[in-house]
Short mmCIF file of all heavy atoms in Angstrom, two decimals:
data_model
loop_
_atom_site.label_atom_id
_atom_site.label_comp_id
_atom_site.label_asym_id
_atom_site.label_seq_id
_atom_site.Cartn_x
_atom_site.Cartn_y
_atom_site.Cartn_z
N ILE A 1 -41.90 -1.17 -25.72
CA ILE A 1 -41.38 -0.39 -24.59
C ILE A 1 -40.11 0.50 -25.05
O ILE A 1 -40.11 1.76 -24.80
CB ILE A 1 -40.97 -1.22 -23.20
CG1 ILE A 1 -42.13 -1.67 -22.60
CG2 ILE A 1 -40.08 -0.37 -22.23
CD1 ILE A 1 -42.03 -2.83 -21.64
N LEU A 2 -39.10 -0.20 -25.60
CA LEU A 2 -37.89 0.54 -26.14
C LEU A 2 -38.24 1.52 -27.19
O LEU A 2 -37.86 2.59 -27.30
CB LEU A 2 -36.91 -0.47 -26.58
CG LEU A 2 -36.19 -1.30 -25.44
CD1 LEU A 2 -35.13 -2.29 -26.03
CD2 LEU A 2 -35.47 -0.34 -24.45
N GLY A 3 -39.17 1.06 -28.13
CA GLY A 3 -39.54 1.82 -29.19
C GLY A 3 -40.28 3.13 -28.90
O GLY A 3 -40.28 4.09 -29.61
N SER A 4 -40.89 3.21 -27.71
CA SER A 4 -41.64 4.35 -27.20
C SER A 4 -40.79 5.34 -26.60
O SER A 4 -41.13 6.49 -26.40
CB SER A 4 -42.67 3.84 -26.17
OG SER A 4 -42.09 3.40 -24.93
N LEU A 5 -39.54 5.03 -26.37
CA LEU A 5 -38.58 5.87 -25.61
C LEU A 5 -37.81 6.64 -26.63
O LEU A 5 -37.67 7.95 -26.34
CB LEU A 5 -37.60 5.09 -24.73
CG LEU A 5 -38.27 4.30 -23.56
CD1 LEU A 5 -37.32 3.54 -22.84
CD2 LEU A 5 -39.08 5.23 -22.53
N ARG A 6 -37.32 6.21 -27.68
CA ARG A 6 -36.39 6.89 -28.56
C ARG A 6 -36.64 6.28 -29.98
O ARG A 6 -37.07 5.25 -30.13
CB ARG A 6 -34.94 6.77 -28.12
CG ARG A 6 -34.64 7.39 -26.83
CD ARG A 6 -34.60 8.84 -26.69
NE ARG A 6 -34.22 9.30 -25.33
CZ ARG A 6 -35.01 9.56 -24.38
NH1 ARG A 6 -36.31 9.29 -24.46
NH2 ARG A 6 -34.55 9.91 -23.29
N GLU A 7 -36.13 7.12 -30.86
CA GLU A 7 -36.14 6.53 -32.36
C GLU A 7 -34.98 5.57 -32.48
O GLU A 7 -33.80 5.81 -32.13
CB GLU A 7 -35.86 7.67 -33.24
CG GLU A 7 -37.08 8.74 -33.23
CD GLU A 7 -36.87 9.87 -34.22
OE1 GLU A 7 -35.70 9.92 -34.82
OE2 GLU A 7 -37.69 10.71 -34.28
N MET A 8 -35.31 4.29 -32.79
CA MET A 8 -34.36 3.19 -32.93
C MET A 8 -35.03 2.09 -33.82
O MET A 8 -36.14 2.15 -34.18
CB MET A 8 -34.03 2.60 -31.52
CG MET A 8 -35.18 2.08 -30.85
SD MET A 8 -34.84 1.53 -29.06
CE MET A 8 -34.35 3.00 -28.18
N ALA A 9 -34.10 1.38 -34.25
CA ALA A 9 -34.57 0.20 -35.17
C ALA A 9 -33.96 -1.12 -34.56
O ALA A 9 -33.13 -1.09 -33.69
CB ALA A 9 -33.89 0.26 -36.56
N PHE A 10 -34.64 -2.28 -34.89
CA PHE A 10 -34.46 -3.49 -34.17
C PHE A 10 -33.85 -4.55 -35.08
O PHE A 10 -34.10 -4.56 -36.28
CB PHE A 10 -35.87 -4.01 -33.52
CG PHE A 10 -36.30 -3.18 -32.51
CD1 PHE A 10 -37.15 -2.02 -32.82
CD2 PHE A 10 -35.96 -3.32 -31.12
CE1 PHE A 10 -37.70 -1.12 -31.83
CE2 PHE A 10 -36.47 -2.44 -30.18
CZ PHE A 10 -37.25 -1.44 -30.45
N ILE A 11 -33.14 -5.60 -34.44
CA ILE A 11 -32.72 -6.73 -35.16
C ILE A 11 -33.56 -7.87 -34.62
O ILE A 11 -33.62 -8.02 -33.45
CB ILE A 11 -31.23 -6.90 -34.87
CG1 ILE A 11 -30.41 -5.68 -35.26
CG2 ILE A 11 -30.67 -8.17 -35.53
CD1 ILE A 11 -28.98 -5.69 -34.64
N ALA A 12 -34.19 -8.58 -35.56
CA ALA A 12 -35.12 -9.68 -35.14
C ALA A 12 -34.84 -10.84 -35.99
O ALA A 12 -34.26 -10.88 -37.07
CB ALA A 12 -36.60 -9.26 -35.29
N LYS A 13 -35.24 -12.06 -35.39
CA LYS A 13 -35.07 -13.30 -36.18
C LYS A 13 -36.00 -13.30 -37.36
O LYS A 13 -36.99 -12.67 -37.39
CB LYS A 13 -35.38 -14.50 -35.21
CG LYS A 13 -36.79 -14.50 -34.67
CD LYS A 13 -36.89 -15.70 -33.71
CE LYS A 13 -38.42 -15.71 -33.09
NZ LYS A 13 -38.57 -16.78 -32.17
N ALA A 14 -35.46 -14.15 -38.41
CA ALA A 14 -36.26 -14.02 -39.70
C ALA A 14 -37.67 -14.46 -39.62
O ALA A 14 -38.50 -13.93 -40.41
CB ALA A 14 -35.52 -14.93 -40.69
N GLU A 15 -38.02 -15.34 -38.69
CA GLU A 15 -39.32 -15.97 -38.69
C GLU A 15 -40.36 -14.71 -38.32
O GLU A 15 -41.54 -14.76 -38.66
CB GLU A 15 -39.54 -16.96 -37.48
CG GLU A 15 -38.57 -18.07 -37.67
CD GLU A 15 -37.29 -17.87 -36.90
OE1 GLU A 15 -36.39 -17.24 -37.42
OE2 GLU A 15 -37.19 -18.37 -35.76
N VAL A 16 -40.00 -13.65 -37.59
CA VAL A 16 -40.88 -12.55 -37.23
C VAL A 16 -41.48 -12.01 -38.55
O VAL A 16 -42.63 -11.61 -38.43
CB VAL A 16 -40.10 -11.52 -36.48
CG1 VAL A 16 -40.91 -10.24 -36.24
CG2 VAL A 16 -39.65 -12.05 -35.13
N ALA A 17 -40.69 -12.04 -39.59
CA ALA A 17 -41.14 -11.36 -40.84
C ALA A 17 -42.40 -12.01 -41.37
O ALA A 17 -43.20 -11.52 -42.18
CB ALA A 17 -40.19 -11.33 -41.94
N THR A 18 -42.63 -13.24 -40.99
CA THR A 18 -43.75 -14.16 -41.56
C THR A 18 -44.88 -14.06 -40.61
O THR A 18 -45.97 -14.70 -41.00
CB THR A 18 -43.26 -15.64 -41.72
OG1 THR A 18 -42.94 -16.25 -40.43
CG2 THR A 18 -42.07 -15.71 -42.58
N TRP A 19 -44.85 -13.55 -39.37
CA TRP A 19 -45.89 -13.55 -38.44
C TRP A 19 -47.12 -12.59 -39.07
O TRP A 19 -46.79 -11.59 -39.55
CB TRP A 19 -45.50 -13.02 -37.10
CG TRP A 19 -44.61 -13.92 -36.35
CD1 TRP A 19 -44.19 -15.17 -36.82
CD2 TRP A 19 -43.87 -13.59 -35.19
NE1 TRP A 19 -43.23 -15.64 -35.81
CE2 TRP A 19 -43.06 -14.72 -34.83
CE3 TRP A 19 -44.00 -12.40 -34.32
CZ2 TRP A 19 -42.34 -14.74 -33.70
CZ3 TRP A 19 -43.15 -12.43 -33.15
CH2 TRP A 19 -42.43 -13.63 -32.85
N PRO A 20 -48.33 -13.07 -38.88
CA PRO A 20 -49.41 -12.25 -39.23
C PRO A 20 -49.43 -10.99 -38.41
O PRO A 20 -49.10 -10.90 -37.22
CB PRO A 20 -50.64 -13.09 -38.87
CG PRO A 20 -50.10 -14.54 -38.79
CD PRO A 20 -48.68 -14.46 -38.41
N LEU A 21 -49.68 -9.82 -39.11
CA LEU A 21 -49.83 -8.49 -38.46
C LEU A 21 -48.39 -7.96 -37.90
O LEU A 21 -47.85 -7.04 -38.38
CB LEU A 21 -50.78 -8.40 -37.47
CG LEU A 21 -51.08 -6.99 -36.80
CD1 LEU A 21 -51.40 -6.00 -37.83
CD2 LEU A 21 -51.99 -7.03 -35.62
N PHE A 22 -47.87 -8.81 -36.99
CA PHE A 22 -46.60 -8.30 -36.27
C PHE A 22 -45.42 -8.25 -37.32
O PHE A 22 -44.58 -7.50 -37.08
CB PHE A 22 -46.35 -9.18 -35.11
CG PHE A 22 -47.21 -8.84 -33.88
CD1 PHE A 22 -48.43 -9.39 -33.81
CD2 PHE A 22 -46.89 -7.79 -32.95
CE1 PHE A 22 -49.32 -9.07 -32.71
CE2 PHE A 22 -47.70 -7.56 -31.93
CZ PHE A 22 -48.91 -8.18 -31.74
N GLY A 23 -45.54 -9.28 -38.18
CA GLY A 23 -44.40 -9.27 -39.24
C GLY A 23 -44.51 -7.97 -40.13
O GLY A 23 -43.42 -7.37 -40.43
N MET A 24 -45.77 -7.65 -40.40
CA MET A 24 -45.93 -6.40 -41.30
C MET A 24 -45.34 -5.18 -40.45
O MET A 24 -44.73 -4.24 -40.99
CB MET A 24 -47.30 -6.20 -41.62
CG MET A 24 -47.72 -4.97 -42.35
SD MET A 24 -49.49 -4.65 -42.53
CE MET A 24 -49.97 -4.41 -40.87
N LEU A 25 -45.77 -5.10 -39.19
CA LEU A 25 -45.50 -4.03 -38.30
C LEU A 25 -43.96 -3.86 -38.16
O LEU A 25 -43.32 -2.82 -38.19
CB LEU A 25 -46.02 -4.14 -37.02
CG LEU A 25 -47.59 -4.02 -36.94
CD1 LEU A 25 -48.14 -4.28 -35.48
CD2 LEU A 25 -48.04 -2.69 -37.36
N ALA A 26 -43.33 -5.04 -38.05
CA ALA A 26 -41.80 -5.09 -37.97
C ALA A 26 -41.12 -4.54 -39.16
O ALA A 26 -40.13 -3.81 -39.10
CB ALA A 26 -41.37 -6.46 -37.69
N LYS A 27 -41.67 -4.95 -40.45
CA LYS A 27 -41.13 -4.34 -41.66
C LYS A 27 -41.35 -2.85 -41.75
O LYS A 27 -40.37 -2.25 -42.18
CB LYS A 27 -41.76 -5.13 -42.77
CG LYS A 27 -41.50 -6.60 -42.85
CD LYS A 27 -42.25 -7.21 -43.96
CE LYS A 27 -42.00 -8.67 -44.05
NZ LYS A 27 -42.85 -9.48 -44.97
N LEU A 28 -42.40 -2.34 -41.32
CA LEU A 28 -42.67 -0.98 -41.52
C LEU A 28 -41.82 -0.05 -40.50
O LEU A 28 -41.75 1.16 -40.79
CB LEU A 28 -44.12 -0.75 -41.17
CG LEU A 28 -45.15 -1.20 -42.25
CD1 LEU A 28 -46.59 -0.97 -41.84
CD2 LEU A 28 -44.86 -0.51 -43.57
N GLN A 29 -41.34 -0.71 -39.39
CA GLN A 29 -40.43 0.05 -38.68
C GLN A 29 -38.96 -0.21 -38.91
O GLN A 29 -38.03 0.04 -38.14
CB GLN A 29 -40.71 -0.31 -37.12
CG GLN A 29 -40.46 -1.67 -36.63
CD GLN A 29 -40.63 -1.76 -35.17
OE1 GLN A 29 -41.68 -1.25 -34.70
NE2 GLN A 29 -39.82 -2.44 -34.44
N ARG A 30 -38.77 -0.72 -40.08
CA ARG A 30 -37.44 -0.87 -40.67
C ARG A 30 -36.55 -1.91 -39.87
O ARG A 30 -35.32 -1.67 -39.72
CB ARG A 30 -36.73 0.52 -40.71
CG ARG A 30 -37.47 1.55 -41.62
CD ARG A 30 -37.05 2.91 -41.42
NE ARG A 30 -35.72 3.15 -41.84
CZ ARG A 30 -34.67 3.54 -41.01
NH1 ARG A 30 -34.97 3.78 -39.74
NH2 ARG A 30 -33.49 3.59 -41.59
N THR A 31 -37.16 -2.94 -39.44
CA THR A 31 -36.33 -4.09 -38.74
C THR A 31 -35.58 -4.76 -39.65
O THR A 31 -35.74 -4.95 -40.96
CB THR A 31 -37.41 -5.00 -38.21
OG1 THR A 31 -38.23 -4.33 -37.23
CG2 THR A 31 -36.70 -6.23 -37.52
N VAL A 32 -34.26 -5.17 -39.17
CA VAL A 32 -33.32 -5.98 -39.94
C VAL A 32 -33.56 -7.41 -39.44
O VAL A 32 -33.54 -7.81 -38.28
CB VAL A 32 -31.84 -5.61 -39.65
CG1 VAL A 32 -30.93 -6.65 -40.18
CG2 VAL A 32 -31.60 -4.18 -40.12
N PHE A 33 -33.84 -8.30 -40.43
CA PHE A 33 -34.28 -9.76 -40.04
C PHE A 33 -32.99 -10.63 -40.39
O PHE A 33 -32.32 -10.48 -41.35
CB PHE A 33 -35.34 -10.15 -40.92
CG PHE A 33 -36.67 -9.54 -40.67
CD1 PHE A 33 -37.01 -8.47 -41.60
CD2 PHE A 33 -37.45 -9.76 -39.64
CE1 PHE A 33 -38.20 -7.76 -41.51
CE2 PHE A 33 -38.58 -8.95 -39.45
CZ PHE A 33 -38.93 -8.04 -40.24
N ILE A 34 -32.64 -11.47 -39.37
CA ILE A 34 -31.48 -12.24 -39.51
C ILE A 34 -31.80 -13.86 -39.26
O ILE A 34 -32.89 -14.08 -38.64
CB ILE A 34 -30.40 -11.90 -38.43
CG1 ILE A 34 -31.01 -12.02 -37.01
CG2 ILE A 34 -29.89 -10.44 -38.78
CD1 ILE A 34 -29.92 -11.86 -35.94
#
């Protein structure tokens, strides 16, 4: 929802990077993993 409104990047927990498909999508939108 937020990503559809404006150009922005997200801060996500590190586990998201390992999720099937969604981890790849998060990396491609330049997410910072913490």
